[in-house]
Amino acid sequence: MTPNDMPSALPANRARRALALHREMDRVWRNDPGLWGQITTVSHTTLGLRFMGTAFVFFGIGGLLSMLIRAQLATPDGAFLDTALYNQIFTMHGSIMMFLFAIPLLEGLAMYLLPKMLGTRDLAFPRLSALGYWCYLLGGTILIVALLAGVAPGEGWFMYTPLSGRAYSPGINADVWLLGVTFVEISALSAAIELMVSILRLRAPGMKLTQMPLFAWYMLGTAAMMLAGFPPLILGSVLLEMERAFGWPFFDPERGGDPLLWQHLFWLFGHPEVYIIFLPAAGVLSTVIPVLCRTRIVGYGAIVAAILGMVFLSFGLWVHHMFAVGIPHLALAFFSAASMLVAVPTAVQIFAWIGTMWRGRPELKLPMYYILGFFLTFVMGGLTGVMLAVVPFNWQAHDTAFVTAHLHYVLIGGFVFPMLAGMTWWMPMMSGRRPIKGLGEAAFWIILIGFHGTFFLMHLTGLMGMPRRIPTYAGNPEWMWLNLSSSFFSFVMTIGFALFLIDLLLQAGLGKRSVRNPWDAPTLDWAIALPPPNYNFASLPGPALLSAGAPAASLPLARGEGLLPGAPRGRREILVSSVGSARPEHVALLPFNTALPLLVALAIGTFVLLMLAGLYKVAPVALIPVVALTWIWARRATVGKDGETIEVAPGLHLPVGPRDEPTLTLSGLRFLLFADGAFFASLLFGLAFLSLVSPGPAMPPWQPAAPAVGIGAVALLALLALGAICARQALSRAETRRPATARLAGAVAANLIALLALATLAFWQLPDPTRHAADAVRAAIVAYAGLHVALALLFSAFALDEARRGELTPRAGSLRNLGAWQSYTLVVAGLAAVAIWAQGTAG
């Protein structure tokens, strides 16, 4: 039997003793003991819990900062904080809640749950998950230490230029934000790639896309938005740091730059960010509501369509935050309509949840309390969002406390309340213990009353004209009682959140042992032992066990009656399936515990710290260990023997490694290139904006040696094309078991000469990038292309090293990865050449 003719029901494997099978699996999948085990673990269960725990620590820090803000605003002439410290605190409050709490919490929950829901043993790239966590922890630590040292950013979590430029922020405060947040964003992009590949390629055989849990659909949409939404912010951060460090004037209007470019790049991330946060929370609601209502979700297909609609529409709303900057009226009308239109897919989901509750028999348990709190709060926040989408009203309420209230109603109502519902729902799984009766309900009511008492009143202060981000308001005593009341209720809300965290800790430490599947839920995450072992499933579910549901599948899976039972070969084995129909394609081997992710994160952190110290000439040296450790990382990839097959079920044999389908690594690389393309598209957007829209001084003339530059550009593209041809021929020769060393040597030589040629053209022909923004963006495009040529050189050198060692098998992933990167680099270089030519022609 082959995967192509897999029947709807596969024969079951022989049943074994569950305890013996558990011990066999645990020997292979468990973490190493002690502190070293915590450093080297790559388990998605451990890392998911670690992400969530760290996010709640940062949430506590952000909450303390919010209490300081409310203490300052409780009276008109508050002397609790001076202006500089107040600015740092409100900036760090927003930055922590957005970058160190919300995104990492949803990453952690998805990492923890998705393999269990999808019927697999781990995520596709365990070491990448670990790297993401260490980058998150180290980057967040840099931000918190800066706050304690008094050098935290004070320009707002949006870091608007020119306030964040060197002229108005001369210290390292703004650099802390730009470099620290970018460091943290490595975690977000890592998680997005990890989740995309895992959802599409690691689902249990037979779990079609149209049959997977809605939570997976929500996370698929979230990951796609992260891949498209984070690159513009990363680009903006890089450009602003280059302006601050080297004087490249991307945002300096006196030299052709434009501060509005920063706003465009930031809100290209900032508004999708709201839906990036909302979608996982909505996934929790779509998972919990039908179970607590003892029915199936209403409108599965409509909800999936709404998810896709939100993913698409959210990227057409960024100017919603810029209605007051003077953009043309036609653009105002378009973005106003788009801002209203996005309410439609949101309403579809809300009505589906209400319909599910109407059809079922809701049980008023603790998660349902938070779900009802979500309905009360988020609908109000959504309605004020529609109000702000109306341009005349937006002009009146812009930058007032009304906007602050709307933001918190959407984020706390649309994210925090569902996530609290999710934590209470999955806490028996995470801890293996029951909740403490009554404590959680008390926390809910205190949070709900405190929240609405705090932020509902802020709508009124905003309508009365109170601006955002002011430390005192001595000339407006009419705002005092509203602010005092908001401050009082903010402390009430803080007590509620503290009580919620105490409830979780007491449940984990003192709660009674929970029965398996205490909610009688049908999803696979409840078909495993509590708390879950690192391997999740002793055997993987097939079509028959998927249709049986969690209660019926639990025992057969534990006894090894599913697919790929046990760990008889002493390896971490998972099944890889096709994207659409989830047909099993091959067995993949996952890496064991390693400290490499921490070492790579430390090397990146060293680069960040050197940049913060202003040691710009020394900082690139820190990238050498990053390259060396990444090389070792790739060398230690776990691969099977050439031609090896495994019987995953009676009569069904699968190869170890792919036949013709892409490897997991190649799938991940393609999603990385998608994000890379979003970064490059944002860079081209910046070029077009500065060339066509910016009202600054005209671009100074640039007169390169036309024949030399033209010939050099053509030669560069020809060399990159030669490298792509050599990579393709090397793959073809490896697949037919012929030597590929000469072709790979040709690719290395072509990339090396191309890199030298590009560097020569840049140094000899490009004007000083500090002269004008047009020169700066031109140099940035050339630097971007040069970075990709350098990475293509490393890709080809690694493949050549594999060939020299005799490790280049027909299934070698390095050749496919080289081909993808080489082709992308060729396209990027071509587009860069066209863009620079067009810019020069326009000038």
Side-chain angles (χ1 to χ4, degrees), residues 716-786:
L716 174 66
L717 295 177
L719 287 167
L720 293 176
L722 176 61
I725 293 171
C726 288
R728 184 180 297 273
Q729 290 182 350
L731 176 61
S732 176
R733 294 180 69 85
E735 289 176 339
T736 56
R737 301 183 183 277
R738 291 180 293 167
T741 306
R743 301 301 190 279
L744 290 172
V748 170
N751 286 318
L752 178 59
I753 297 172
L755 184 62
L756 294 175
L758 183 61
T760 301
L761 286 173
F763 284 116
W764 284 1
Q765 296 297 327
L766 289 183
D768 181 5
T770 64
R771 183 181 64 162
H772 190 274
D775 301 315
V777 75
R778 184 187 299 124
I781 291 175
V782 172
Y784 175 87

Side-chain angles (χ1 to χ4, degrees), residues 171-203:
I172 68 167
N173 304 56
D175 301 299
V176 168
W177 192 97
L178 295 170
L179 293 167
V181 168
T182 302
F183 192 10
V184 172
E185 285 163 1
I186 296 175
S187 170
L189 289 179
S190 300
I193 294 169
E194 179 85 90
L195 297 177
M196 288 287 286
V197 176
S198 299
I199 294 171
L200 295 177
R201 302 291 307 279
L202 298 186
R203 301 191 311 279

